[in-house]
Amino acid sequence: MRLDRFLSNLPRFNRQQVRTLLASGRLRVDGNVTRDPHHKVRIFSRVELDEETLQTGHAARYLMLHKPPGCVSATDDPEHPTVLDLIDEPARHELHIAGRLDFNTSGLLLLTNDGQWSRRLTQPASKLAKVYLVETEQPIEAHYIDTFRQGLYFAFENLTTQPAELTLLGPRTARLSLVEGRYHQVKRMFGHFQNKVLRLHRESIGPLPLDRQLAPGAYRALTAPELLSLSEPAGPEQEKG
Ligand code: URA
């Protein structure tokens, strides 16, 4: 298909915008800048606009991984095994992580080669609840619930965290639901009470739970209904967090 036709078929561009984009030099096909409306776009062509991938060049992949503790949420690391080392796929180096977990955190991690999808999923406006099981060193006290609901001030970012919902499960275990993903957020929230997080496990992202059949280190493709559920707008359940 011609590049101008390919762009016009995307719902976000009208004809005038397609002409402007083509003239701008911001488009790349298979890594080469092109201004040619006749440039051929094949199924396996990679089409990019600035840093955004409009077509990946490989079939889009969406994976759920049961991240074990002791590996880095990165695509490479000089010292430690990475989550990508657990993926046995031909085009695994095209994958990136949608929502990282710390080295010792376990649980649901999503990987994809679709940059638009992962951006949508991880942007704060998505309001997708991320649910964590937390085990701490000290007892978790009932007054944490109100503090977390009201939000905590994070001086480094100069912001107050969004309301988070804490459910006590035992003296030192709880379930915490967050709608954002600040750096070390859970540990910093419990750190406010000088209570160290000993174990952290992500159970779900929005409507998507970690598949219980997946052993730590195992992964599988998301099903079509799972993908669809993640792209639906957050309902009241999601917004509570
Ligand atoms: N919050 C943390 O502190 N660590 C994680 O891995 C995820 C959320």
Side-chain angles (χ1 to χ4, degrees):
M1 180 190 304
R2 287 164 45 150
L3 179 57
D4 57 354
R5 173 75 57 84
F6 168 84
L7 293 168
S8 306
N9 284 349
L10 300 174
R12 53 195 272 202
F13 301 129
N14 61 33
R15 281 185 187 201
Q16 178 54 43
Q17 287 168 321
V18 167
R19 274 196 291 273
T20 312
L21 270 181
L22 280 164
S24 69
R26 293 165 58 202
L27 287 161
R28 291 191 303 282
V29 176
D30 296 324
N32 301 313
V33 171
T34 180
R35 293 179 171 81
D36 178 5
H38 298 257
H39 198 119
K40 275 266 174 294
V41 176
R42 297 185 171 80
I43 294 174
F44 292 108
S45 302
R46 185 178 181 84
V47 186
E48 293 159 291
L49 167 62
D50 300 326
E51 299 312 309
E52 185 183 347
T53 304
L54 301 178
Q55 177 170 285
T56 57
H58 284 271
R61 301 296 319 265
Y62 306 93
L63 305 179
M64 99 156 46
L65 167 75
H66 184 163
K67 179 191 176 296
C71 67
V72 186
S73 286
T75 45
D76 67 307
D77 187 275
E79 257 182 85
H80 300 290
T82 72
V83 291
L84 220 60
D85 296 333
L86 299 166
I87 308 291
D88 183 19
E89 297 286 325
R92 72 186 182 126
H93 287 290
E94 292 195 352
L95 296 171
H96 62 269
I97 298 153
R100 292 164 195 280
L101 291 173
D102 292 342
F103 185 69
N104 277 323
T105 302
S106 59
L108 174 59
L109 194 78
L110 297 175
L111 295 119
T112 182
N113 56 358
D114 181 345
Q116 240 177 314
W117 184 79
S118 57
R119 257 195 302 284
R120 236 189 3 254
L121 208 70
T122 53
Q123 69 190 3
S126 79
K127 297 262 182 197
L128 280 178
K130 270 72 71 179
V131 178
Y132 294 91
L133 262 185
V134 191
E135 189 183 315
T136 57
E137 197 167 62
Q138 310 297 327
I140 302 171
E141 295 172 21
H143 65 90
Y144 290 20
I145 296 174
D146 268 353
T147 308
F148 287 179
R149 190 173 286 145
Q150 281 158 22
L152 280 167
Y153 179 67
F154 279 4
F156 184 74
E157 294 93 336
N158 186 27
L159 57 79
T160 300
T161 55
Q162 298 277 313
E165 194 165 296
L166 184 70
T167 310
L168 305 183
L169 301 174
R172 295 184 299 105
T173 53
R175 180 168 282 122
L176 180 64
S177 175
L178 305 175
V179 290
E180 57 196 336
R182 307 277 164 207
Y183 180 67
H184 292 331
Q185 180 157 351
V186 177
K187 291 174 188 155
R188 289 161 79 194
M189 288 172 74
F190 282 89
H192 174 80
F193 299 105
Q194 282 83 50
N195 197 349
K196 189 171 173 195
V197 171
L198 299 181
R199 286 183 55 201
L200 189 56
H201 176 85
R202 183 154 67 194
E203 292 184 314
S204 58
I205 298 176
L208 182 70
L210 174 64
D211 185 337
R212 286 169 180 272
Q213 308 291 327
L214 284 181
Y219 68 93
R220 68 160 170 81
L222 294 186
T223 63
E226 284 172 341
L227 266 174
L228 196 66
S229 74
L230 281 171
S231 56
E232 279 162 359
E237 267 306 296
Q238 300 299 320
E239 281 167 6
K240 265 195 317 188

